[in-house]
Structure formats: structure tokens, C-alpha cells
Amino acid sequence: MKAAVVFDLVQGPVWADFTDPQADAQHTLVKVRAAAISHVVKSRTSGKHYSFDGTLPFGVGIDGTGTLSDGQRVYFAFPVAPWGSMAQYAPIALTHCLPLPDALDDITAAAMANPGMSAWAALVQRAAFNAGETVLINGATGTAGQLAIQIARHLGAKKVIATGRNPQALASLGADECVVLTTDDDMLSAQFAEQASQQIDVVVDYLWGHSAELLLPALAKHTPAGSSIRYVQVGSLAGSDINLNGSVLRSSPLQLIGSGIGSLTLQQLLQATGEMLQAAVAGKFTLATTPVPLHEVAEAWPLDNSQKRTVFVVE
């Protein structure tokens, strides 16, 4: 069959022949309709993600949408290595296939699944978010952050605060408050302090890095007495490491929580994805996409950006 395959970590994925997968008692073959680029997929493709096992060549992609042999439309995840989801067919455990709502098309579902899962898992499973709480999305202008705002609204957030580097993009997100991260450190710390003083219950952080170094002390110092904060670290787009004085954690009811592969089981991640996809219809979640034929993977791969989700379509 044809698939997006990585033979060289520097070169990236190419459209090539790859060994046909086979079904067995535990796995079915999904005829793939669409699969999207995500930060996890890009990181794995370059060999930098902690889940990459070093085996070459391998098929690209960890999830997508497609049909089973009986024609049922499904979202699927975690193909059996070395196959990936960006292929004509993918071998998938039966328990890793979820029915898709009729009102959600293949491209939109494939685009939303990974970023929507990260937001849903962070808010629902890791932070135990409650209706009426205030949430801050650190790094809200990317696709995951955009969905996190919509999901927080759907879950009944009282107030949503969005941060990002692009003022125009921030203004279009529909958040109650926006914090522009390109402001100088003193002003940015003051804005974080002001928001913290009004109570932030949950932070979903896609950035980490310097903004976290300013945000965490502001939360510890200015959050109203007796109020707890669940700080969920999801991504590290602004840097993998931070400097954090231990007193920040000792002096406040701040819970620092991770959310991702490892802190959640595969079944928990699938559950979060399924719940999010079902909620997408009722919540009218939207996400900008760039559909591309899969055979153009080599040309389209370096053009992907965080503002629109590149979705490869199998023709």
C-alpha cells in the first residue's frame, strides 16, 4: 500500500510504498479517510518525542478517521507500529476505534481529535474542572488553545482568560480577558497578578517556558487566601525548562499537574477524545483546516503551522 513514511529523521515523511498491514483477532484494518498533523506527530517524525522508539522506517501518524469493513465511520488511534495513520490502511485495535457522530465530517473530526483531546483531558480528567470556575489558557492562539477555549465554554466556565503573542489572533478568540505575552516582564507580571487576584481556578498551559516563570509566582502570591489552583502543564512550545523557586509551591495551594501520554493511559486518552468528539456537535466547536491530498505529504509537511490544522485526505 501507499503511506507517508519516514526513512530519514532529517528528511521527514515521503509518499512511498509500505508493507501491507494485516488484521488479526485483536486488530482490524481501517480504511483511512483523513489524518491530521499534530505537535505530537511532528515531534515523533523528527525523532524528538519521548514515545519514539528509534525504529526506522516507520509510518507517520497516530490517529485519524476512516471506515471499518462494514462501512461504519470511526475515529481511530494508535496504529500498531511500525504502521501509521497517514496511509491507505491502518491496523488498529478494536478498542481503539470510536464511532463518529453523523453530523461531524471526517476532515473536521480528524483535525479536532488530538488538540481537542489534549484540552478535554486537561480540563476534565486532570483538573476535574467544574462549571462556574475560571480558566486561563496559556498559549491560546494555536489550534489546541482555540479548542480549549470552546471546550471550557461548553463545560460552563464562568470566565476564560487567553494568553498569546499575537494581539489580533487573541482578540478573535472570544475570551473574556486577553493577555499579550510580548509585553515587557514587569507589565506582564502585573497583568498576571491582577487576574490571579480575581481568582483563577485552572490553568491549561501549552507554552511553559518564560511565561510560566512569570505566571506561577503571580498565582502563588496573589490568589485569594484559601483558594486552590490546578495548573495543568500540557505542552512546551516556549521551552522545556523553567526556573521555579520552591517557595512558590510551598507558599500556596497550587497543584502542578501534567497531562499527556504517560500521565494518562491510552484508554483514558481515547475516552477523552470520544467525549470531546461527541460534545463537538452540541458545542458547535470549530477549527480552521487545510485539507491536502496525502500524496503531497512531502511538500505540505514543512508548510504546516499552528494557526490552521493540516489534514491529509486519502483519495
Side-chain angles (χ1 to χ4, degrees), residues 101-122:
D102 291 339
L104 197 61
D105 66 88
D106 293 315
I107 291 174
T108 301
M112 283 186 176
N114 184 269
M117 173 275 294
S118 75
W120 192 277

Side-chain angles (χ1 to χ4, degrees), residues 167-213:
Q168 290 74 32
L170 277 175
S172 69
L173 297 178
D176 299 294
E177 300 281 352
C178 295
V179 178
V180 180
L181 297 177
T182 52
T183 307
D184 67 77
D185 283 3
D186 289 342
M187 186 173 294
L188 188 54
S189 292
Q191 291 183 60
F192 283 151
E194 179 183 358
Q195 295 296 337
S197 69
Q198 299 173 39
Q199 180 61 39
I200 296 171
D201 300 291
V202 175
V203 175
V204 178
D205 186 355
Y206 292 100
L207 300 180
W208 206 229
H210 189 57
S211 61
E213 292 178 332

Side-chain angles (χ1 to χ4, degrees), residues 294-305:
L294 182 55
H295 63 80
E296 297 178 10
V297 60
E299 297 80 12
W301 195 267
L303 302 179
D304 178 68
N305 62 59

Side-chain angles (χ1 to χ4, degrees), residues 50-85:
Y50 59 83
S51 64
F52 174 59
D53 65 6
T55 301
L56 288 171
F58 63 89
V60 178
I62 61 171
D63 67 348
T65 58
T67 56
L68 301 180
S69 58
D70 62 1
Q72 182 183 14
R73 295 174 61 242
V74 295
Y75 164 79
F76 66 89
F78 311 120
V80 179
W83 292 276
S85 62

Side-chain angles (χ1 to χ4, degrees), residues 16-300:
D17 291 317
F18 201 63
T19 306
D20 289 339
Q22 302 296 322
D24 58 33
Q26 288 77 41
H27 301 86
T28 186
L29 288 184
V30 175
K31 184 176 182 181
V32 182
R33 300 285 295 275
I37 297 180
S38 65
H39 291 300
V40 172
V41 170
K42 291 171 79 170
S43 183
R44 283 173 59 89
T45 300
S46 65
K48 296 177 181 178
H49 196 266
Y50 59 83
S51 64
F52 174 59
D53 65 6
T55 301
L56 288 171
F58 63 89
V60 178
I62 61 171
D63 67 348
T65 58
T67 56
L68 301 180
S69 58
D70 62 1
Q72 182 183 14
R73 295 174 61 242
V74 295
Y75 164 79
F76 66 89
F78 311 120
V80 179
W83 292 276
S85 62
M86 296 179 182
Q88 292 175 315
Y89 292 91
I92 308 294
L94 295 172
T95 54
H96 293 178
C97 295
L98 306 174
L100 280 175
D102 291 339
L104 197 61
D105 66 88
D106 293 315
I107 291 174
T108 301
M112 283 186 176
N114 184 269
M117 173 275 294
S118 75
W120 192 277
L123 286 166
V124 175
Q125 294 177 316
R126 301 298 283 157
F129 184 79
N130 297 306
E133 292 187 315
T134 293
V135 60
L136 183 148
I137 310 297
N138 194 32
T141 57
T143 50
Q146 293 172 37
L147 278 173
I149 291 175
Q150 297 174 64
I151 289 169
R153 290 283 192 215
H154 176 72
L155 295 173
K158 178 179 71 175
K159 180 180 180 181
V160 178
I161 306 162
T163 80
R165 297 178 59 84
N166 186 321
Q168 290 74 32
L170 277 175
S172 69
L173 297 178
D176 299 294
E177 300 281 352
C178 295
V179 178
V180 180
L181 297 177
T182 52
T183 307
D184 67 77
D185 283 3
D186 289 342
M187 186 173 294
L188 188 54
S189 292
Q191 291 183 60
F192 283 151
E194 179 183 358
Q195 295 296 337
S197 69
Q198 299 173 39
Q199 180 61 39
I200 296 171
D201 300 291
V202 175
V203 175
V204 178
D205 186 355
Y206 292 100
L207 300 180
W208 206 229
H210 189 57
S211 61
E213 292 178 332
L214 299 178
L215 177 56
L216 283 162
L219 291 168
K221 184 175 181 180
H222 297 283
T223 295
S227 300
S228 65
I229 314 107
R230 289 98 78 200
Y231 193 109
V232 188
Q233 203 281 317
V234 182
S236 303
L237 295 177
S240 299
D241 302 305
I242 67 169
N243 291 313
L244 181 65
N245 191 301
S247 65
V248 170
L249 298 179
R250 294 194 304 271
S251 64
S252 64
L254 178 64
Q255 302 175 49
L256 193 55
I257 308 165
S259 184
I261 299 173
S263 60
L264 292 163
T265 66
L266 295 186
Q267 283 306 127
Q268 287 175 315
L269 294 173
L270 282 167
Q271 178 184 342
T273 308
E275 291 174 356
M276 184 281 303
L277 289 172
Q278 294 299 322
V281 177
K284 299 180 180 179
F285 300 163
T286 60
L287 193 66
T289 63
T290 302
V292 180
L294 182 55
H295 63 80
E296 297 178 10
V297 60
E299 297 80 12

